Amino acid sequence: MLLTYLPILIMIGVASAMAIGALVMSFIFQPRNPYASKNSPWECGMEPVGDANEGHVRIHFFIIAMLFVIFDVETLFLFPWAVLLTEKSLSTFIFVEMIIFIVVLAIGLVYAWVKGALEWV
Amino acid sequence: MMIPDISTVLEVVLIAVKVVVVTMILFGLPLPLTWLERKVAGHIQVRLGPWRVGPHGLLQPFADMIKLLMKEDIVPDRADKFLFTIAPLLAMVPAFAVFVAIPFGENIMLPVINKEVSLYIADMNVGILYILAISGLGIYGIILGGWASNSKYSLIGGLRSSAQMISYEISISFAAIGVVMLSNSLSLVEIVKSQGGSLLHWNFFYLPVGPVWCAIFIIGSLAEINRIPFDLPEDEGTLGAGFHTEYSGMKFALFMLAEYVAMVSVSVLTVILFFGGWNSPLPVPLPIPPIFWFVAKVVFFIYFFMWVRFTLPRYRYDQLMTIGWKILIPVSLVTILITGFMRI
C-alpha cells in the first residue's frame, strides 16, 4: 500500500529539487538591471492604469466553476459504476439506475442551458 | 520500532532510481521537442525552420537553453513576490507527477544484476483517477501566476485558462469513464493488458463508440494543455502572452517545460487508453520489444499534436465554451449510455 503511493512523494521531491536547482542556476548567471519602467506591468507601452488585482472579474467565470463542481462530482459517481458494469448479477439493475441518474443530470444541464448560464456574450 | 527488511529497502531504492531516471528524461525531453516543433512548423509552412546553429539547427535548443538561463528574471514591482516565484513550480510539478502512474511496458530482465524490473514506477489500482486529479492541479500554477503578476493581461489569461481547463476536464473524465467501461479497471496496467492480442482489441476499434471516446479525449486534451486550436490563454492577438506575460528567464522556461511535459503525458495517455499501450498491432509474435511499439505510438501522437497546431486556426472564446459545454458534454452523456448498453 505504502509502496504504491510513496513514489508520488519522491517524484514531487525530485521534480521540485530540479526546478529549484534550475532557478538557483539562473539566479547565479543572470544580469540584474532593474529600473522603474522595466518593472511596471506590461500594458502595450502605456502607463499602467490602476491595479489588476482589485477584483474586477467577470462573474461568468464563477458560474462556470460552480457548474464544473456539479459535473465533476457526477463523473466521480460514474467511475465505480463503470468498473462494476459487466458483473452479471448487477449489470441490468445498475444500468437502469444510471440511466435515471444521467437523465436527471441532463435535465440539470438543459436547465443551465435554457437559463443562459452557458452563453458567453 | 519496526525495522524494514532488506527487500523493502531494495524496493524503495529501485523506486527512487526509477523516479530520478524518469524525471531526468522529462527534463531533457523539451530539447528535442522544441527543435522538432520548429522543424515541423517550418516544413508545414514551406520554410526550413532552424538551420543556422549546428547541422539542421540541431544545436538550437541548447542555444535557447543557455539564453534562458542567462536572462534577467524580471519581477514586476506590484507583483505578489512569493506567489510569483512559486507559480511556475506549481504548474510544473503536477505535470511531472502524472508520470508516476504511467506504465511504459511490461517487466524486463536487467542483464547485469539479473533482476526482473517493471517498466512502471507504481501500478496504482486507481491510476486513471490519480492522473485526472493530479493533472487538474496544474491549474493552480497558471491561475496563481496570472493573478500574482498583477497585470491585466495575465489576470484575464489566467482566468480564461482555468475556466477552459475545468470545462474540458469534464469531457476528459467522461472519456476516461468510457475506457474504464471497456476495460473494467481503473489501473492503467490492466487497461493496457485488456487491449492485448491485436489491433482489433484496442479500445479505439471498439466500434462504434471507441472512435467517439478517442475524439472526445483528444479534443479535451488539446484544450487541457492549452494548445492551438484552444490556446486562448496565450492568445497573442488579444492578451499579449496570456498568463505568463510578466514572466521571463528561468521562470518562463519552467512554464514552457510544464507545457511540453503535459503534451507528452497527453500523447502517452492517448496511446495507453485507446491504442493498446505497448501491445503490438499484429497478432503474430515479432522479435520487437514492446517498449518500441509504445515509443513509436507516442512519437506519432506528439507529431499529431504539432501537426494540428500548425494546421488549424484558433477558436474564439465563446466558441470554445460552446464546444465544451454544448457539444462534448451532451455527446459524452449519450455515448456513455450507448457504451453501457453494449457492455451489459
Side-chain angles (χ1 to χ4, degrees), chain A residues 51-57 61, chain B residues 143 145-161 239 242-243 245:
Chain A
D51 227 1
N53 292 354
E54 278 171 341
H56 298 296
V57 171
F61 288 112
Chain B
I143 195 165
W147 186 82
S149 311
N150 205 345
S151 156
K152 281 137 204 156
Y153 294 104
S154 306
L155 184 67
I156 298 174
L159 281 172
R160 277 188 179 185
S161 183
L239 281 183
F243 62 88
T245 304

Side-chain angles (χ1 to χ4, degrees), chain A residues 4 8 19 26 30-31 33 38-39 41-44 49-53 68 78 82 86 95 113 119-120, chain B residues 70-73 76-78 89 121-122 130 147 150 152-153 155 166 177 181 184 186 246 250 318 326 341:
Chain A
T4 331
I8 302 170
S26 98
Q30 65 175 290
N33 181 23
K38 187 194 269 180
N39 284 356
W42 185 76
E43 235 159 75
C44 309
V49 181
D51 227 1
N53 292 354
F68 161 73
L78 287 170
T86 43
F95 182 62
W113 194 328
E119 303 300 327
W120 200 279
Chain B
M70 313 270 281
K71 278 277 183 188
E72 183 175 358
D73 197 352
D77 279 331
R78 283 189 271 176
L89 295 181
I121 298 172
Y130 164 78
W147 186 82
N150 205 345
K152 281 137 204 156
Y153 294 104
L155 184 67
I166 60 180
I177 289 166
M181 283 159 90
N184 287 320
L186 291 171
E246 300 294 335
M250 211 38 170
D318 60 324
K326 295 187 182 173
F341 188 70

Side-chain angles (χ1 to χ4, degrees), chain B residues 128-203:
Chain B
I128 199 164
L129 212 53
Y130 164 78
I131 285 177
L132 289 174
I134 206 94
S135 59
L137 287 179
I139 297 175
Y140 282 107
I142 287 170
I143 195 165
L144 281 179
W147 186 82
S149 311
N150 205 345
S151 156
K152 281 137 204 156
Y153 294 104
S154 306
L155 184 67
I156 298 174
L159 281 172
R160 277 188 179 185
S161 183
S162 53
Q164 167 182 340
M165 283 167 96
I166 60 180
S167 302
Y168 281 81
E169 199 160 295
I170 301 171
S171 351
I172 291 185
S173 309
F174 277 131
I177 289 166
V179 172
V180 171
M181 283 159 90
L182 299 182
S183 300
N184 287 320
S185 177
L186 291 171
S187 150
L188 290 175
V189 178
E190 294 299 321
I191 287 174
V192 173
K193 279 182 183 159
S194 77
Q195 301 177 61
S198 77
L199 197 81
L200 296 173
H201 293 103
W202 294 357
N203 284 338

Side-chain angles (χ1 to χ4, degrees), chain B residues 13 36 40 55 86 111 136 154 162 167 175 209 216 228 243 256 272 298:
Chain B
V13 170
L36 186 68
V40 169
I86 210 163
S154 306
S162 53
S167 302
V209 288
I216 291 172
I228 284 178
F243 62 88
M256 280 289 123
I272 287 177
V298 170

Side-chain angles (χ1 to χ4, degrees), chain A residues 43-84:
Chain A
E43 235 159 75
C44 309
M46 308 295 279
E47 289 286 318
V49 181
D51 227 1
N53 292 354
E54 278 171 341
H56 298 296
V57 171
R58 250 196 102 163
I59 200 70
H60 214 109
F61 288 112
F62 192 69
I63 297 174
I64 292 289
M66 286 202 294
L67 284 174
F68 161 73
V69 172
I70 298 164
F71 279 91
D72 215 40
V73 172
E74 168 204 358
T75 59
L76 274 186
F77 282 125
L78 287 170
F79 271 107
W81 171 77
V83 176
L84 284 176

